[in-house]
């Protein structure tokens, strides 16, 4: 594959295994740039990337912005409280106005599932979904897959156990789709109130006990309880959750010795992950963050290459 055929990155559901592999390979080739003293290359010089974050974000927003800057693109961004959405403007009107300023890519996070898909129908530029409600978070799953692939060499045949609030986690949804496409086995575990129906029919192993889920897993991915997306509490207390589903060293005795720990962040220490597990040598949580920049650089360069303009000689050299 020489070029990505899709114009937007809205979810891994729309992507083939070949496309996912191509993005991961591109990210891999861009990673060395992040370890140089001067972390900037010219391929996206003169390009404009707009970030619209209508929900809180630390890692994802910074990661997209740094990725754009590493490739020399200009970035501008607004958050919900600073945008005219609070003055009653519709999302479509806001995006049409942004489009009128001719950006090349819009990166959007929104609490409403489908919001990036909606704006993609109203703009000429590419749209990247940086998390839409409980639906998908494709760049997070891509960086998770890059981290796992880097560590084990391949995703094929691995078992990934995802523990936590599966129903409300867009990270879980994108990972389930992506990992299965790439030939990994996925097991999930969490309180019964946070396990959506229908997973077993999609080939996901659904476990009620954490020990069972992590038993022969190569990867243990813990997730935060998405309380902001839940109505009434879905379990009695954080302490109760930690006792039944928290990943601690005692529980890890059931796991393979070389199993790795992952978490998309932000971590609620002592709830889904014991602090000593989060900080242990088997935790790849900060590698995920570093890989996030490489994955987002790959998405930007591939989307801009796809947008039809000639690849610049700089791009040929750097990508
Ligand atoms: C996740 C998100 O926003 O969906 N975080 C992230 O992007 N790194 C997970 C979460 O908020 O728990």
């Amino acid at each position: 594959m020489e070029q990505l055929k899709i114009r937007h990155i809205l979810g891994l559901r729309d992507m083939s295994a070949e496309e996912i592999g191509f993005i991961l390979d591109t990210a891999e080739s861009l990673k060395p740039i992040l370890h140089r003293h001067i972390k900037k290359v010219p391929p996206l010089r003169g390009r404009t990337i707009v970030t619209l974050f209508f929900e809180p974000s630390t890692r994802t927003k910074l990661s997209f912005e740094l990725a754009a800057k590493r490739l020399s693109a200009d970035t501008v961004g607004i958050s919900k409280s600073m945008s005219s959405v609070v003055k009653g403007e519709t999302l479509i009107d806001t995006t049409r106005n942004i489009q009128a300023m001719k950006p090349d890519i819009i990166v959007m996070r929104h609490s409403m599932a489908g919001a990036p898909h909606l704006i993609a129908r109203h703009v000429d530029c590419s749209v990247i979904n940086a998390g839409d409600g409980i639906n998908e978070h494709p760049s997070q799953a891509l960086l998770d897959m890059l981290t796992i692939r880097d560590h084990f060499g391949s995703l094929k045949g691995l078992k990934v156990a995802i523990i936590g609030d599966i129903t409300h986690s867009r990270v879980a949804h994108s990972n389930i789709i992506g990992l299965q496409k790439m030939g990994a086995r996925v097991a999930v575990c969490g309180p019964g109130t946070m396990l959506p129906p229908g997973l077993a029919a999609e080939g996901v192993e659904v476990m009620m006990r954490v020990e069972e889920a992590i038993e022969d897993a190569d990867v243990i991915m813990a997730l935060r309880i998405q309380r902001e997306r839940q109505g009434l509490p879905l379990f009695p207390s954080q302490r109760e959750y930690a006792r039944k589903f928290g990943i601690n060293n005692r529980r890890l005795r059931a796991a393979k010795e070389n199993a790795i720990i992952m978490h998309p962040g932000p971590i609620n220490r002592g709830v889904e992950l014991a602090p000593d597990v989060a900080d242990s040598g088997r935790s790849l949580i900060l590698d995920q963050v570093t890989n996030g920049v490489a994955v987002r650089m790959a998405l930007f360069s591939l989307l801009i290459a796809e947008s039809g303009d000639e690849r610049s000689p700089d791009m040929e050299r750097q990508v």
Side-chain angles (χ1 to χ4, degrees):
M1 183 172 274
E2 285 196 355
Q3 207 171 305
L4 215 51
K5 299 273 180 323
I6 43 182
R7 191 152 71 93
H8 308 291
I9 307 291
L10 298 174
L12 297 193
R13 205 177 290 285
D14 323 313
M15 249 182 237
S16 66
E18 199 190 0
E19 282 166 330
I20 293 173
F22 180 50
I23 295 169
L24 299 186
D25 291 344
T26 308
E28 198 66 65
S29 74
L30 291 166
K31 257 171 88 165
I33 297 169
L34 303 177
H35 300 285
R36 294 182 191 167
H37 282 300
I38 298 171
K39 303 174 184 61
K40 202 174 176 85
V41 291
L44 301 195
R45 205 169 37 196
R47 303 301 193 138
T48 308
I49 295 170
V50 173
T51 57
L52 297 180
F53 276 71
F54 292 144
E55 262 195 354
S57 174
T58 306
R59 270 155 295 269
T60 308
K61 185 169 189 295
L62 274 183
S63 180
F64 271 112
E65 286 176 3
L66 278 178
K69 288 181 198 301
R70 301 286 187 244
L71 295 170
S72 304
D74 296 318
T75 54
V76 276
I78 45 170
S79 57
K80 184 179 184 180
S81 58
M82 281 156 58
S83 78
S84 290
V85 167
V86 292
K87 298 185 190 170
E89 189 173 55
T90 67
L91 189 59
I92 293 175
D93 282 334
T94 302
T95 18
R96 278 199 183 125
N97 279 271
I98 293 168
Q99 166 69 48
M101 295 182 233
K102 313 287 178 216
D104 295 285
I105 299 179
I106 296 177
V107 178
M108 174 186 255
R109 167 171 288 193
H110 203 285
S111 57
M112 188 178 76
H117 308 64
L118 177 71
I119 70 154
R121 293 206 294 272
H122 293 272
V123 293
D124 302 330
C125 64
S126 294
V127 176
I128 301 181
N129 177 5
D132 65 323
I134 62 165
N135 183 35
E136 277 218 48
H137 192 348
S139 64
Q140 178 69 43
L142 288 165
L143 75 89
D144 291 338
M145 288 192 279
L146 182 65
T147 307
I148 300 171
R149 205 181 75 161
D150 272 359
H151 188 82
F152 290 104
S154 162
L155 291 159
K156 235 189 180 67
L158 294 180
K159 177 181 170 186
V160 181
I162 308 180
I163 316 294
D165 181 2
I166 310 299
T167 301
H168 303 96
S169 170
R170 51 199 179 200
V171 176
H173 301 156
S174 285
N175 264 300
I176 290 171
I177 298 166
L179 286 163
Q180 287 192 325
K181 285 191 178 176
M182 300 308 282
R185 270 168 69 199
V186 182
V188 298
C189 177
T193 48
M194 297 181 205
L195 293 175
L199 282 176
E202 287 174 31
V204 177
E205 297 165 45
V206 182
M207 307 292 186
M208 298 317 286
R209 287 182 54 246
V210 177
E211 287 78 1
E212 275 175 337
I214 67 178
E215 202 173 20
D216 50 350
D218 303 284
V219 180
I220 299 161
M221 189 182 288
L223 299 175
R224 186 178 64 86
I225 304 300
Q226 310 276 299
R227 285 209 288 189
E228 70 278 24
R229 304 189 201 287
Q230 301 172 0
L232 294 169
L234 295 176
F235 61 97
S237 68
Q238 303 238 45
R239 234 174 96 195
E240 174 85 356
Y241 180 86
R243 206 170 59 75
K244 288 200 105 165
F245 299 99
I247 308 295
N248 53 32
N249 276 322
R250 182 181 48 79
R251 214 156 243 149
L252 278 179
R253 282 195 225 121
K256 278 185 181 171
E257 226 163 77
N258 65 350
I260 58 168
I261 306 292
M262 297 176 71
H263 192 301
I267 301 175
N268 284 164
R269 281 180 178 260
V271 183
E272 64 267 18
L273 272 185
D276 49 352
V277 172
D279 301 329
S280 69
R282 65 204 296 183
S283 158
L284 297 192
I285 294 172
L286 296 178
D287 299 81
Q288 291 174 259
V289 179
T290 307
N291 286 335
V293 180
V295 158
R296 287 153 183 147
M297 286 167 76
L299 294 177
F300 287 149
S301 19
L302 293 172
L303 285 180
I304 286 191
E306 192 282 335
S307 70
D309 290 7
E310 294 274 298
R311 274 185 163 213
S312 72
D314 287 337
M315 180 84 111
E316 292 299 342
R317 257 201 315 277
Q318 302 294 347
V319 177

